Amino acid sequence: MTKERPTHICVDYIEGPLKYLHNEWRFERSTDGGTELHFSVDFAFKSRLFESLAGAMFDRALRRMISAFEQRAAALYGISKSSAQSAA
C-alpha cells in the first residue's frame, strides 16, 4: 500500500485466490468546497472456475464497500443528498 496524503491511496493484493488486485483512491478538491473521490479497481482470479463462481459476488461486495465508505464519510463530515453522486 502506498499513501500520498491527502490525495492518493494505492493498494495492491499480495496473496490468496486472486492473480492480482489493484485499487486506487484519489481525492480532489471540488469547486463547491467538497471533495471528489475517484475509485478504481482491477483484478483477476487465478482459477477460471473460481472466477465464474465469485465474479458476480465481487461486484456486489464492491458496491457494499462503496456504500459503507459513503455512509462513514457522511457520518464524519456530513453530506447533502444533492452532493452525493456515486458511480456504483
Side-chain angles (χ1 to χ4, degrees):
M1 174 171 23
T2 59
K3 294 185 272 184
E4 296 172 22
R5 251 184 189 188
T7 61
H8 183 234
I9 299 171
C10 181
V11 179
D12 288 299
Y13 180 75
I14 297 175
E15 64 179 78
L18 296 173
K19 187 184 298 184
Y20 66 87
L21 175 112
H22 175 81
N23 67 57
E24 285 188 63
W25 303 77
R26 292 196 177 271
F27 304 88
E28 297 176 1
R29 290 190 189 272
S30 64
T31 56
D32 67 1
T35 300
E36 289 186 23
L37 169 64
H38 303 273
F39 175 73
S40 65
V41 62
D42 183 26
F43 66 94
F45 290 95
K46 289 179 183 176
S47 159
R48 288 190 186 260
L49 175 62
F50 190 70
E51 183 172 352
S52 64
L53 294 172
M57 297 306 288
F58 194 85
D59 180 65
R60 188 178 193 187
L62 180 61
R63 290 178 186 278
R64 289 185 67 186
M65 183 176 69
I66 291 168
S67 177
F69 181 91
E70 290 171 337
Q71 289 175 15
R72 181 66 176 149
L76 290 175
Y77 307 109
I79 191 166
S80 69
K81 292 188 187 261
S82 64
S83 65
Q85 296 178 9
S86 174

PDB file of all heavy atoms in Angstrom, residues 15-50:
ATOM      1  N   GLU A  15      -1.500 -11.985  -1.622  1.00  0.00           N
ATOM      2  CA  GLU A  15      -1.663 -13.420  -1.818  1.00  0.00           C
ATOM      3  C   GLU A  15      -3.098 -13.866  -1.565  1.00  0.00           C
ATOM      4  O   GLU A  15      -3.847 -13.184  -0.883  1.00  0.00           O
ATOM      5  CB  GLU A  15      -0.711 -14.207  -0.931  1.00  0.00           C
ATOM      6  CG  GLU A  15      -0.982 -14.032   0.556  1.00  0.00           C
ATOM      7  CD  GLU A  15      -0.023 -14.840   1.408  1.00  0.00           C
ATOM      8  OE1 GLU A  15       1.116 -14.395   1.574  1.00  0.00           O
ATOM      9  OE2 GLU A  15      -0.439 -15.916   1.874  1.00  0.00           O
ATOM     10  N   GLY A  16      -3.462 -14.994  -2.140  1.00  0.00           N
ATOM     11  CA  GLY A  16      -4.799 -15.535  -1.987  1.00  0.00           C
ATOM     12  C   GLY A  16      -5.337 -16.045  -3.300  1.00  0.00           C
ATOM     13  O   GLY A  16      -4.577 -16.355  -4.211  1.00  0.00           O
ATOM     14  N   PRO A  17      -6.668 -16.131  -3.451  1.00  0.00           N
ATOM     15  CA  PRO A  17      -7.262 -16.729  -4.653  1.00  0.00           C
ATOM     16  C   PRO A  17      -7.214 -15.832  -5.890  1.00  0.00           C
ATOM     17  O   PRO A  17      -7.579 -16.272  -6.974  1.00  0.00           O
ATOM     18  CB  PRO A  17      -8.716 -16.988  -4.233  1.00  0.00           C
ATOM     19  CG  PRO A  17      -8.985 -15.957  -3.195  1.00  0.00           C
ATOM     20  CD  PRO A  17      -7.677 -15.785  -2.460  1.00  0.00           C
ATOM     21  N   LEU A  18      -6.760 -14.604  -5.748  1.00  0.00           N
ATOM     22  CA  LEU A  18      -6.680 -13.712  -6.897  1.00  0.00           C
ATOM     23  C   LEU A  18      -5.289 -13.748  -7.511  1.00  0.00           C
ATOM     24  O   LEU A  18      -4.289 -13.896  -6.814  1.00  0.00           O
ATOM     25  CB  LEU A  18      -7.002 -12.275  -6.499  1.00  0.00           C
ATOM     26  CG  LEU A  18      -8.417 -12.018  -5.991  1.00  0.00           C
ATOM     27  CD1 LEU A  18      -8.531 -10.593  -5.482  1.00  0.00           C
ATOM     28  CD2 LEU A  18      -9.442 -12.274  -7.072  1.00  0.00           C
ATOM     29  N   LYS A  19      -5.238 -13.606  -8.824  1.00  0.00           N
ATOM     30  CA  LYS A  19      -3.960 -13.480  -9.517  1.00  0.00           C
ATOM     31  C   LYS A  19      -3.367 -12.108  -9.181  1.00  0.00           C
ATOM     32  O   LYS A  19      -2.187 -11.980  -8.907  1.00  0.00           O
ATOM     33  CB  LYS A  19      -4.177 -13.601 -11.022  1.00  0.00           C
ATOM     34  CG  LYS A  19      -2.899 -13.657 -11.827  1.00  0.00           C
ATOM     35  CD  LYS A  19      -3.154 -13.675 -13.323  1.00  0.00           C
ATOM     36  CE  LYS A  19      -3.934 -14.890 -13.742  1.00  0.00           C
ATOM     37  NZ  LYS A  19      -4.118 -14.998 -15.198  1.00  0.00           N
ATOM     38  N   TYR A  20      -4.230 -11.093  -9.197  1.00  0.00           N
ATOM     39  CA  TYR A  20      -3.823  -9.751  -8.785  1.00  0.00           C
ATOM     40  C   TYR A  20      -5.057  -8.935  -8.441  1.00  0.00           C
ATOM     41  O   TYR A  20      -6.168  -9.255  -8.848  1.00  0.00           O
ATOM     42  CB  TYR A  20      -3.003  -9.033  -9.865  1.00  0.00           C
ATOM     43  CG  TYR A  20      -3.787  -8.726 -11.124  1.00  0.00           C
ATOM     44  CD1 TYR A  20      -4.531  -7.559 -11.239  1.00  0.00           C
ATOM     45  CD2 TYR A  20      -3.782  -9.606 -12.200  1.00  0.00           C
ATOM     46  CE1 TYR A  20      -5.250  -7.280 -12.386  1.00  0.00           C
ATOM     47  CE2 TYR A  20      -4.492  -9.339 -13.347  1.00  0.00           C
ATOM     48  CZ  TYR A  20      -5.220  -8.172 -13.437  1.00  0.00           C
ATOM     49  OH  TYR A  20      -5.939  -7.905 -14.565  1.00  0.00           O
ATOM     50  N   LEU A  21      -4.859  -7.905  -7.665  1.00  0.00           N
ATOM     51  CA  LEU A  21      -5.901  -6.933  -7.348  1.00  0.00           C
ATOM     52  C   LEU A  21      -5.202  -5.606  -7.095  1.00  0.00           C
ATOM     53  O   LEU A  21      -4.222  -5.543  -6.349  1.00  0.00           O
ATOM     54  CB  LEU A  21      -6.702  -7.320  -6.112  1.00  0.00           C
ATOM     55  CG  LEU A  21      -7.717  -6.241  -5.715  1.00  0.00           C
ATOM     56  CD1 LEU A  21      -9.136  -6.727  -5.932  1.00  0.00           C
ATOM     57  CD2 LEU A  21      -7.521  -5.831  -4.286  1.00  0.00           C
ATOM     58  N   HIS A  22      -5.645  -4.598  -7.758  1.00  0.00           N
ATOM     59  CA  HIS A  22      -5.067  -3.258  -7.598  1.00  0.00           C
ATOM     60  C   HIS A  22      -6.229  -2.286  -7.451  1.00  0.00           C
ATOM     61  O   HIS A  22      -7.161  -2.311  -8.252  1.00  0.00           O
ATOM     62  CB  HIS A  22      -4.230  -2.900  -8.834  1.00  0.00           C
ATOM     63  CG  HIS A  22      -3.707  -1.509  -8.820  1.00  0.00           C
ATOM     64  ND1 HIS A  22      -2.577  -1.151  -8.120  1.00  0.00           N
ATOM     65  CD2 HIS A  22      -4.159  -0.386  -9.401  1.00  0.00           C
ATOM     66  CE1 HIS A  22      -2.372   0.143  -8.278  1.00  0.00           C
ATOM     67  NE2 HIS A  22      -3.316   0.627  -9.060  1.00  0.00           N
ATOM     68  N   ASN A  23      -6.199  -1.468  -6.411  1.00  0.00           N
ATOM     69  CA  ASN A  23      -7.219  -0.422  -6.325  1.00  0.00           C
ATOM     70  C   ASN A  23      -6.592   0.895  -5.917  1.00  0.00           C
ATOM     71  O   ASN A  23      -5.550   0.931  -5.269  1.00  0.00           O
ATOM     72  CB  ASN A  23      -8.420  -0.810  -5.457  1.00  0.00           C
ATOM     73  CG  ASN A  23      -8.109  -0.960  -3.998  1.00  0.00           C
ATOM     74  OD1 ASN A  23      -7.619  -0.035  -3.367  1.00  0.00           O
ATOM     75  ND2 ASN A  23      -8.398  -2.109  -3.441  1.00  0.00           N
ATOM     76  N   GLU A  24      -7.217   1.952  -6.386  1.00  0.00           N
ATOM     77  CA  GLU A  24      -6.738   3.300  -6.122  1.00  0.00           C
ATOM     78  C   GLU A  24      -7.882   4.180  -5.656  1.00  0.00           C
ATOM     79  O   GLU A  24      -9.002   4.078  -6.151  1.00  0.00           O
ATOM     80  CB  GLU A  24      -6.160   3.934  -7.391  1.00  0.00           C
ATOM     81  CG  GLU A  24      -4.827   3.412  -7.785  1.00  0.00           C
ATOM     82  CD  GLU A  24      -4.234   4.211  -8.925  1.00  0.00           C
ATOM     83  OE1 GLU A  24      -3.976   5.422  -8.721  1.00  0.00           O
ATOM     84  OE2 GLU A  24      -4.065   3.632 -10.009  1.00  0.00           O
ATOM     85  N   TRP A  25      -7.567   5.014  -4.706  1.00  0.00           N
ATOM     86  CA  TRP A  25      -8.475   6.042  -4.212  1.00  0.00           C
ATOM     87  C   TRP A  25      -7.780   7.378  -4.464  1.00  0.00           C
ATOM     88  O   TRP A  25      -6.675   7.591  -4.000  1.00  0.00           O
ATOM     89  CB  TRP A  25      -8.699   5.883  -2.717  1.00  0.00           C
ATOM     90  CG  TRP A  25      -9.234   4.552  -2.293  1.00  0.00           C
ATOM     91  CD1 TRP A  25      -8.533   3.386  -2.180  1.00  0.00           C
ATOM     92  CD2 TRP A  25     -10.565   4.257  -1.921  1.00  0.00           C
ATOM     93  NE1 TRP A  25      -9.360   2.379  -1.763  1.00  0.00           N
ATOM     94  CE2 TRP A  25     -10.610   2.892  -1.585  1.00  0.00           C
ATOM     95  CE3 TRP A  25     -11.733   5.024  -1.824  1.00  0.00           C
ATOM     96  CZ2 TRP A  25     -11.774   2.268  -1.169  1.00  0.00           C
ATOM     97  CZ3 TRP A  25     -12.893   4.395  -1.404  1.00  0.00           C
ATOM     98  CH2 TRP A  25     -12.909   3.044  -1.088  1.00  0.00           C
ATOM     99  N   ARG A  26      -8.409   8.258  -5.223  1.00  0.00           N
ATOM    100  CA  ARG A  26      -7.853   9.601  -5.475  1.00  0.00           C
ATOM    101  C   ARG A  26      -8.859  10.633  -4.983  1.00  0.00           C
ATOM    102  O   ARG A  26     -10.042  10.549  -5.279  1.00  0.00           O
ATOM    103  CB  ARG A  26      -7.584   9.819  -6.958  1.00  0.00           C
ATOM    104  CG  ARG A  26      -6.472   8.958  -7.470  1.00  0.00           C
ATOM    105  CD  ARG A  26      -5.973   9.474  -8.817  1.00  0.00           C
ATOM    106  NE  ARG A  26      -4.859   8.682  -9.254  1.00  0.00           N
ATOM    107  CZ  ARG A  26      -3.595   8.937  -8.962  1.00  0.00           C
ATOM    108  NH1 ARG A  26      -3.293   9.985  -8.227  1.00  0.00           N
ATOM    109  NH2 ARG A  26      -2.635   8.165  -9.405  1.00  0.00           N
ATOM    110  N   PHE A  27      -8.361  11.595  -4.231  1.00  0.00           N
ATOM    111  CA  PHE A  27      -9.191  12.635  -3.640  1.00  0.00           C
ATOM    112  C   PHE A  27      -8.804  13.973  -4.253  1.00  0.00           C
ATOM    113  O   PHE A  27      -7.633  14.334  -4.264  1.00  0.00           O
ATOM    114  CB  PHE A  27      -8.978  12.680  -2.121  1.00  0.00           C
ATOM    115  CG  PHE A  27      -9.232  11.355  -1.446  1.00  0.00           C
ATOM    116  CD1 PHE A  27      -8.223  10.417  -1.313  1.00  0.00           C
ATOM    117  CD2 PHE A  27     -10.493  11.048  -0.963  1.00  0.00           C
ATOM    118  CE1 PHE A  27      -8.455   9.190  -0.702  1.00  0.00           C
ATOM    119  CE2 PHE A  27     -10.739   9.829  -0.346  1.00  0.00           C
ATOM    120  CZ  PHE A  27      -9.714   8.895  -0.219  1.00  0.00           C
ATOM    121  N   GLU A  28      -9.801  14.697  -4.755  1.00  0.00           N
ATOM    122  CA  GLU A  28      -9.563  16.014  -5.363  1.00  0.00           C
ATOM    123  C   GLU A  28     -10.546  17.020  -4.785  1.00  0.00           C
ATOM    124  O   GLU A  28     -11.715  16.698  -4.565  1.00  0.00           O
ATOM    125  CB  GLU A  28      -9.755  15.953  -6.878  1.00  0.00           C
ATOM    126  CG  GLU A  28      -8.792  15.047  -7.587  1.00  0.00           C
ATOM    127  CD  GLU A  28      -9.079  14.953  -9.086  1.00  0.00           C
ATOM    128  OE1 GLU A  28     -10.036  15.616  -9.570  1.00  0.00           O
ATOM    129  OE2 GLU A  28      -8.357  14.217  -9.764  1.00  0.00           O
ATOM    130  N   ARG A  29     -10.072  18.218  -4.557  1.00  0.00           N
ATOM    131  CA  ARG A  29     -10.975  19.281  -4.114  1.00  0.00           C
ATOM    132  C   ARG A  29     -11.924  19.633  -5.250  1.00  0.00           C
ATOM    133  O   ARG A  29     -11.517  19.744  -6.391  1.00  0.00           O
ATOM    134  CB  ARG A  29     -10.190  20.528  -3.728  1.00  0.00           C
ATOM    135  CG  ARG A  29      -9.405  20.364  -2.470  1.00  0.00           C
ATOM    136  CD  ARG A  29      -8.853  21.724  -2.036  1.00  0.00           C
ATOM    137  NE  ARG A  29      -7.918  21.565  -0.960  1.00  0.00           N
ATOM    138  CZ  ARG A  29      -8.247  21.552   0.328  1.00  0.00           C
ATOM    139  NH1 ARG A  29      -9.511  21.695   0.672  1.00  0.00           N
ATOM    140  NH2 ARG A  29      -7.328  21.411   1.251  1.00  0.00           N
ATOM    141  N   SER A  30     -13.194  19.802  -4.904  1.00  0.00           N
ATOM    142  CA  SER A  30     -14.159  20.203  -5.921  1.00  0.00           C
ATOM    143  C   SER A  30     -14.408  21.704  -5.802  1.00  0.00           C
ATOM    144  O   SER A  30     -14.083  22.320  -4.798  1.00  0.00           O
ATOM    145  CB  SER A  30     -15.468  19.419  -5.785  1.00  0.00           C
ATOM    146  OG  SER A  30     -16.088  19.713  -4.561  1.00  0.00           O
ATOM    147  N   THR A  31     -14.967  22.273  -6.830  1.00  0.00           N
ATOM    148  CA  THR A  31     -15.177  23.716  -6.862  1.00  0.00           C
ATOM    149  C   THR A  31     -16.192  24.182  -5.826  1.00  0.00           C
ATOM    150  O   THR A  31     -16.182  25.340  -5.437  1.00  0.00           O
ATOM    151  CB  THR A  31     -15.641  24.166  -8.262  1.00  0.00           C
ATOM    152  OG1 THR A  31     -16.813  23.432  -8.616  1.00  0.00           O
ATOM    153  CG2 THR A  31     -14.556  23.922  -9.283  1.00  0.00           C
ATOM    154  N   ASP A  32     -17.052  23.268  -5.350  1.00  0.00           N
ATOM    155  CA  ASP A  32     -18.051  23.656  -4.357  1.00  0.00           C
ATOM    156  C   ASP A  32     -17.531  23.565  -2.924  1.00  0.00           C
ATOM    157  O   ASP A  32     -18.280  23.725  -1.968  1.00  0.00           O
ATOM    158  CB  ASP A  32     -19.323  22.826  -4.520  1.00  0.00           C
ATOM    159  CG  ASP A  32     -19.123  21.353  -4.188  1.00  0.00           C
ATOM    160  OD1 ASP A  32     -18.000  20.950  -3.810  1.00  0.00           O
ATOM    161  OD2 ASP A  32     -20.101  20.589  -4.304  1.00  0.00           O
ATOM    162  N   GLY A  33     -16.216  23.272  -2.771  1.00  0.00           N
ATOM    163  CA  GLY A  33     -15.639  23.195  -1.433  1.00  0.00           C
ATOM    164  C   GLY A  33     -15.588  21.791  -0.867  1.00  0.00           C
ATOM    165  O   GLY A  33     -14.989  21.554   0.170  1.00  0.00           O
ATOM    166  N   GLY A  34     -16.213  20.841  -1.544  1.00  0.00           N
ATOM    167  CA  GLY A  34     -16.206  19.455  -1.088  1.00  0.00           C
ATOM    168  C   GLY A  34     -15.020  18.696  -1.656  1.00  0.00           C
ATOM    169  O   GLY A  34     -14.016  19.292  -2.058  1.00  0.00           O
ATOM    170  N   THR A  35     -15.163  17.405  -1.700  1.00  0.00           N
ATOM    171  CA  THR A  35     -14.105  16.538  -2.219  1.00  0.00           C
ATOM    172  C   THR A  35     -14.697  15.557  -3.212  1.00  0.00           C
ATOM    173  O   THR A  35     -15.744  14.978  -2.973  1.00  0.00           O
ATOM    174  CB  THR A  35     -13.447  15.739  -1.068  1.00  0.00           C
ATOM    175  OG1 THR A  35     -12.901  16.656  -0.131  1.00  0.00           O
ATOM    176  CG2 THR A  35     -12.341  14.842  -1.585  1.00  0.00           C
ATOM    177  N   GLU A  36     -14.023  15.398  -4.334  1.00  0.00           N
ATOM    178  CA  GLU A  36     -14.410  14.383  -5.305  1.00  0.00           C
ATOM    179  C   GLU A  36     -13.531  13.164  -5.066  1.00  0.00           C
ATOM    180  O   GLU A  36     -12.319  13.287  -4.905  1.00  0.00           O
ATOM    181  CB  GLU A  36     -14.194  14.885  -6.726  1.00  0.00           C
ATOM    182  CG  GLU A  36     -15.176  15.944  -7.131  1.00  0.00           C
ATOM    183  CD  GLU A  36     -15.038  16.332  -8.591  1.00  0.00           C
ATOM    184  OE1 GLU A  36     -14.514  15.524  -9.399  1.00  0.00           O
ATOM    185  OE2 GLU A  36     -15.455  17.442  -8.918  1.00  0.00           O
ATOM    186  N   LEU A  37     -14.149  12.000  -5.037  1.00  0.00           N
ATOM    187  CA  LEU A  37     -13.424  10.749  -4.845  1.00  0.00           C
ATOM    188  C   LEU A  37     -13.487   9.943  -6.133  1.00  0.00           C
ATOM    189  O   LEU A  37     -14.557   9.718  -6.689  1.00  0.00           O
ATOM    190  CB  LEU A  37     -14.061   9.940  -3.710  1.00  0.00           C
ATOM    191  CG  LEU A  37     -13.576   8.512  -3.559  1.00  0.00           C
ATOM    192  CD1 LEU A  37     -12.105   8.467  -3.194  1.00  0.00           C
ATOM    193  CD2 LEU A  37     -14.412   7.788  -2.530  1.00  0.00           C
ATOM    194  N   HIS A  38     -12.326   9.524  -6.601  1.00  0.00           N
ATOM    195  CA  HIS A  38     -12.230   8.663  -7.777  1.00  0.00           C
ATOM    196  C   HIS A  38     -11.683   7.329  -7.295  1.00  0.00           C
ATOM    197  O   HIS A  38     -10.601   7.275  -6.712  1.00  0.00           O
ATOM    198  CB  HIS A  38     -11.302   9.275  -8.825  1.00  0.00           C
ATOM    199  CG  HIS A  38     -11.726  10.641  -9.249  1.00  0.00           C
ATOM    200  ND1 HIS A  38     -12.628  10.855 -10.266  1.00  0.00           N
ATOM    201  CD2 HIS A  38     -11.411  11.860  -8.761  1.00  0.00           C
ATOM    202  CE1 HIS A  38     -12.828  12.150 -10.398  1.00  0.00           C
ATOM    203  NE2 HIS A  38     -12.105  12.781  -9.495  1.00  0.00           N
ATOM    204  N   PHE A  39     -12.444   6.265  -7.518  1.00  0.00           N
ATOM    205  CA  PHE A  39     -12.054   4.938  -7.066  1.00  0.00           C
ATOM    206  C   PHE A  39     -11.986   4.008  -8.266  1.00  0.00           C
ATOM    207  O   PHE A  39     -12.885   4.008  -9.104  1.00  0.00           O
ATOM    208  CB  PHE A  39     -13.073   4.401  -6.058  1.00  0.00           C
ATOM    209  CG  PHE A  39     -12.818   2.983  -5.627  1.00  0.00           C
ATOM    210  CD1 PHE A  39     -11.772   2.676  -4.774  1.00  0.00           C
ATOM    211  CD2 PHE A  39     -13.620   1.960  -6.089  1.00  0.00           C
ATOM    212  CE1 PHE A  39     -11.533   1.376  -4.383  1.00  0.00           C
ATOM    213  CE2 PHE A  39     -13.396   0.637  -5.699  1.00  0.00           C
ATOM    214  CZ  PHE A  39     -12.346   0.356  -4.846  1.00  0.00           C
ATOM    215  N   SER A  40     -10.914   3.223  -8.346  1.00  0.00           N
ATOM    216  CA  SER A  40     -10.827   2.223  -9.409  1.00  0.00           C
ATOM    217  C   SER A  40     -10.308   0.914  -8.828  1.00  0.00           C
ATOM    218  O   SER A  40      -9.556   0.913  -7.855  1.00  0.00           O
ATOM    219  CB  SER A  40      -9.909   2.702 -10.538  1.00  0.00           C
ATOM    220  OG  SER A  40      -8.581   2.826 -10.071  1.00  0.00           O
ATOM    221  N   VAL A  41     -10.742  -0.173  -9.428  1.00  0.00           N
ATOM    222  CA  VAL A  41     -10.285  -1.495  -9.001  1.00  0.00           C
ATOM    223  C   VAL A  41     -10.081  -2.354 -10.250  1.00  0.00           C
ATOM    224  O   VAL A  41     -10.864  -2.291 -11.193  1.00  0.00           O
ATOM    225  CB  VAL A  41     -11.284  -2.161  -8.013  1.00  0.00           C
ATOM    226  CG1 VAL A  41     -12.635  -2.389  -8.650  1.00  0.00           C
ATOM    227  CG2 VAL A  41     -10.728  -3.459  -7.450  1.00  0.00           C
ATOM    228  N   ASP A  42      -8.976  -3.105 -10.255  1.00  0.00           N
ATOM    229  CA  ASP A  42      -8.658  -4.020 -11.351  1.00  0.00           C
ATOM    230  C   ASP A  42      -8.207  -5.329 -10.709  1.00  0.00           C
ATOM    231  O   ASP A  42      -7.382  -5.323  -9.797  1.00  0.00           O
ATOM    232  CB  ASP A  42      -7.537  -3.420 -12.206  1.00  0.00           C
ATOM    233  CG  ASP A  42      -7.204  -4.274 -13.410  1.00  0.00           C
ATOM    234  OD1 ASP A  42      -8.075  -5.026 -13.898  1.00  0.00           O
ATOM    235  OD2 ASP A  42      -6.050  -4.188 -13.879  1.00  0.00           O
ATOM    236  N   PHE A  43      -8.764  -6.449 -11.179  1.00  0.00           N
ATOM    237  CA  PHE A  43      -8.432  -7.735 -10.565  1.00  0.00           C
ATOM    238  C   PHE A  43      -8.627  -8.875 -11.549  1.00  0.00           C
ATOM    239  O   PHE A  43      -9.318  -8.734 -12.557  1.00  0.00           O
ATOM    240  CB  PHE A  43      -9.299  -7.985  -9.326  1.00  0.00           C
ATOM    241  CG  PHE A  43     -10.757  -8.161  -9.644  1.00  0.00           C
ATOM    242  CD1 PHE A  43     -11.292  -9.426  -9.823  1.00  0.00           C
ATOM    243  CD2 PHE A  43     -11.595  -7.061  -9.781  1.00  0.00           C
ATOM    244  CE1 PHE A  43     -12.641  -9.590 -10.127  1.00  0.00           C
ATOM    245  CE2 PHE A  43     -12.930  -7.216 -10.079  1.00  0.00           C
ATOM    246  CZ  PHE A  43     -13.461  -8.488 -10.255  1.00  0.00           C
ATOM    247  N   ALA A  44      -8.010 -10.004 -11.227  1.00  0.00           N
ATOM    248  CA  ALA A  44      -8.215 -11.246 -11.974  1.00  0.00           C
ATOM    249  C   ALA A  44      -8.062 -12.403 -11.000  1.00  0.00           C
ATOM    250  O   ALA A  44      -7.225 -12.367 -10.098  1.00  0.00           O
ATOM    251  CB  ALA A  44      -7.202 -11.382 -13.109  1.00  0.00           C
ATOM    252  N   PHE A  45      -8.877 -13.427 -11.190  1.00  0.00           N
ATOM    253  CA  PHE A  45      -8.792 -14.622 -10.361  1.00  0.00           C
ATOM    254  C   PHE A  45      -7.754 -15.582 -10.950  1.00  0.00           C
ATOM    255  O   PHE A  45      -7.545 -15.608 -12.162  1.00  0.00           O
ATOM    256  CB  PHE A  45     -10.150 -15.319 -10.290  1.00  0.00           C
ATOM    257  CG  PHE A  45     -11.168 -14.564  -9.497  1.00  0.00           C
ATOM    258  CD1 PHE A  45     -12.057 -13.705 -10.121  1.00  0.00           C
ATOM    259  CD2 PHE A  45     -11.236 -14.710  -8.122  1.00  0.00           C
ATOM    260  CE1 PHE A  45     -12.999 -13.004  -9.386  1.00  0.00           C
ATOM    261  CE2 PHE A  45     -12.177 -14.015  -7.383  1.00  0.00           C
ATOM    262  CZ  PHE A  45     -13.056 -13.156  -8.021  1.00  0.00           C
ATOM    263  N   LYS A  46      -7.142 -16.398 -10.094  1.00  0.00           N
ATOM    264  CA  LYS A  46      -6.183 -17.407 -10.552  1.00  0.00           C
ATOM    265  C   LYS A  46      -6.888 -18.525 -11.308  1.00  0.00           C
ATOM    266  O   LYS A  46      -6.384 -19.043 -12.284  1.00  0.00           O
ATOM    267  CB  LYS A  46      -5.432 -18.008  -9.358  1.00  0.00           C
ATOM    268  CG  LYS A  46      -4.454 -17.068  -8.708  1.00  0.00           C
ATOM    269  CD  LYS A  46      -3.776 -17.739  -7.530  1.00  0.00           C
ATOM    270  CE  LYS A  46      -2.849 -16.792  -6.813  1.00  0.00           C
ATOM    271  NZ  LYS A  46      -2.261 -17.401  -5.610  1.00  0.00           N
ATOM    272  N   SER A  47      -8.067 -18.896 -10.875  1.00  0.00           N
ATOM    273  CA  SER A  47      -8.806 -20.017 -11.434  1.00  0.00           C
ATOM    274  C   SER A  47     -10.029 -19.527 -12.197  1.00  0.00           C
ATOM    275  O   SER A  47     -10.808 -18.730 -11.688  1.00  0.00           O
ATOM    276  CB  SER A  47      -9.246 -20.933 -10.289  1.00  0.00           C
ATOM    277  OG  SER A  47     -10.319 -21.750 -10.664  1.00  0.00           O
ATOM    278  N   ARG A  48     -10.230 -20.065 -13.398  1.00  0.00           N
ATOM    279  CA  ARG A  48     -11.423 -19.703 -14.175  1.00  0.00           C
ATOM    280  C   ARG A  48     -12.695 -20.181 -13.483  1.00  0.00           C
ATOM    281  O   ARG A  48     -13.723 -19.526 -13.541  1.00  0.00           O
ATOM    282  CB  ARG A  48     -11.343 -20.268 -15.581  1.00  0.00           C
ATOM    283  CG  ARG A  48     -10.338 -19.553 -16.447  1.00  0.00           C
ATOM    284  CD  ARG A  48     -10.486 -20.007 -17.883  1.00  0.00           C
ATOM    285  NE  ARG A  48      -9.455 -19.435 -18.702  1.00  0.00           N
ATOM    286  CZ  ARG A  48      -9.639 -18.375 -19.477  1.00  0.00           C
ATOM    287  NH1 ARG A  48     -10.817 -17.805 -19.525  1.00  0.00           N
ATOM    288  NH2 ARG A  48      -8.660 -17.892 -20.189  1.00  0.00           N
ATOM    289  N   LEU A  49     -12.631 -21.333 -12.840  1.00  0.00           N
ATOM    290  CA  LEU A  49     -13.790 -21.854 -12.117  1.00  0.00           C
ATOM    291  C   LEU A  49     -14.156 -20.904 -10.973  1.00  0.00           C
ATOM    292  O   LEU A  49     -15.318 -20.534 -10.819  1.00  0.00           O
ATOM    293  CB  LEU A  49     -13.502 -23.253 -11.571  1.00  0.00           C
ATOM    294  CG  LEU A  49     -14.597 -23.858 -10.687  1.00  0.00           C
ATOM    295  CD1 LEU A  49     -15.889 -24.025 -11.482  1.00  0.00           C
ATOM    296  CD2 LEU A  49     -14.140 -25.181 -10.105  1.00  0.00           C
ATOM    297  N   PHE A  50     -13.161 -20.508 -10.194  1.00  0.00           N
ATOM    298  CA  PHE A  50     -13.414 -19.588  -9.092  1.00  0.00           C
ATOM    299  C   PHE A  50     -13.906 -18.246  -9.621  1.00  0.00           C
ATOM    300  O   PHE A  50     -14.795 -17.628  -9.042  1.00  0.00           O
ATOM    301  CB  PHE A  50     -12.158 -19.408  -8.237  1.00  0.00           C
ATOM    302  CG  PHE A  50     -12.418 -18.671  -6.962  1.00  0.00           C
ATOM    303  CD1 PHE A  50     -13.147 -19.263  -5.936  1.00  0.00           C
ATOM    304  CD2 PHE A  50     -11.956 -17.381  -6.779  1.00  0.00           C
ATOM    305  CE1 PHE A  50     -13.404 -18.589  -4.761  1.00  0.00           C
ATOM    306  CE2 PHE A  50     -12.206 -16.692  -5.607  1.00  0.00           C
ATOM    307  CZ  PHE A  50     -12.930 -17.308  -4.599  1.00  0.00           C
TER     308      PHE A  50
END
